[in-house]
Amino acid sequence: MSQNAARTPTGALPLLSDRHVDPHAYPQGVAFLDGQYLPMSQAKISVLDWGFLHSDATYDTVHVWDGSFFRLDLHLDRFFGGLEKLRMTIPFDRDGVTEILHNCVALSGHRAAYVEMLCTRGASPTFSRDPRQAVNRFMAFAVPFGSVANAEQLRRGLHVAISDKVRIPPASIDPSIKNYHWLDLVRGLYDAYDRGAETALILDFNGNVAEGPGFNVFLVKDGKLSTPAVGVLPGITRRTVFDLCAEAGLSAAAVDVGVAALKAADEVFITSTAGGIMPVTAIDDAPVADGKVGPITSRLMGLYWKKHQDPAWSSPVRYP
């Protein structure tokens, strides 16, 4: 409500508008909602939706690079797995969701895109507190590709701070269900900003390193790779690193990663659909090894983007 709209004569009620006028700006893109393809600025959900009120939702994101989806099947596996675990249903099978995602990208015209599929618990027609009364709601959208790290950070490496905030334990929220429970991550991110860093890592319930806002983390020590095993999202890019290591003859394992071990690493990098494999060269204001992007990180970055041309891992968008 604007300041003018809030000012009414004493005893008088404000006017009841027949529609919402949205003053905010949105990225260029296309969304799918309630059977309709819409500009991003027109994609809305109810303020009564449990996804908004209770963070009761699951989602997945896949990126399009040079006109092709990358590892779309794995993202669909995780999304439909989340739906099943949360007892949500949508009126589309895998082929239907795939078609919707292709349509969103094709209609947007983006050759590099960040593409999301999501399902909220929805809203109850009677505002019931029973989640079984809510009508589940499927949505999807495609917007321009964005990265956790910008071009300069990819070149010289990210500067990260380790927050003492603790990631939601897996006994509470299954991390294999991609979700919007981000307050622990957001608080950690502000800790990092306050300390002059560019992003954050937070801890698991045992005081080991967990993950960051939207990314997993790897360290390299004596030529061997390690990544946190417990309480983290099993990221698709994280899995891709394991696949690349298997092809390249590199050792990689999911284990407990202590803060001291991370800081003593020869190399550190993070992984995300939003950016791929991204180097880290400073942790808590101290350089990682010599403070330069390491050779194994550089090698894996090159292999990762080369795989985007592999038809076994990529599927072309059907543009008009």
Side-chain angles (χ1 to χ4, degrees), residues 122-172:
S124 160
T126 60
F127 198 49
S128 167
R129 294 283 181 169
D130 186 339
R132 296 170 298 179
Q133 302 298 317
V135 180
N136 299 166
R137 202 170 186 196
F138 173 79
M139 293 157 262
F141 61 83
V143 293
F145 178 79
S147 174
V148 173
N150 60 34
E152 178 191 353
Q153 292 163 345
L154 287 172
R155 178 187 56 79
R156 49 89 168 158
L158 283 155
H159 297 171
V160 173
I162 299 177
S163 168
D164 61 1
K165 302 300 182 289
V166 176
R167 192 70 172 113
I168 299 171
S172 298

Side-chain angles (χ1 to χ4, degrees), residues 200-284:
L201 287 166
I202 67 173
L203 306 177
D204 69 16
F205 53 92
N206 289 319
N208 294 312
V209 176
E211 59 188 342
F215 58 81
N216 296 112
V217 62
F218 282 80
L219 68 86
V220 181
K221 186 67 174 180
D222 299 328
K224 298 179 179 181
L225 286 81
S226 302
T227 190
V230 178
V232 300
L233 175 75
I236 303 303
T237 313
R238 176 180 182 266
R239 171 171 170 172
T240 298
V241 169
F242 281 101
D243 294 338
L244 293 173
C245 286
E247 291 187 9
L250 295 168
S251 170
V255 297
D256 288 341
V257 174
V259 172
L262 189 74
K263 291 183 176 182
D266 300 326
E267 304 177 40
V268 175
F269 61 84
I270 62 172
T271 60
S272 173
T273 294
I277 297 170
M278 297 163 279
V280 172
T281 52
I283 299 175
D284 290 342

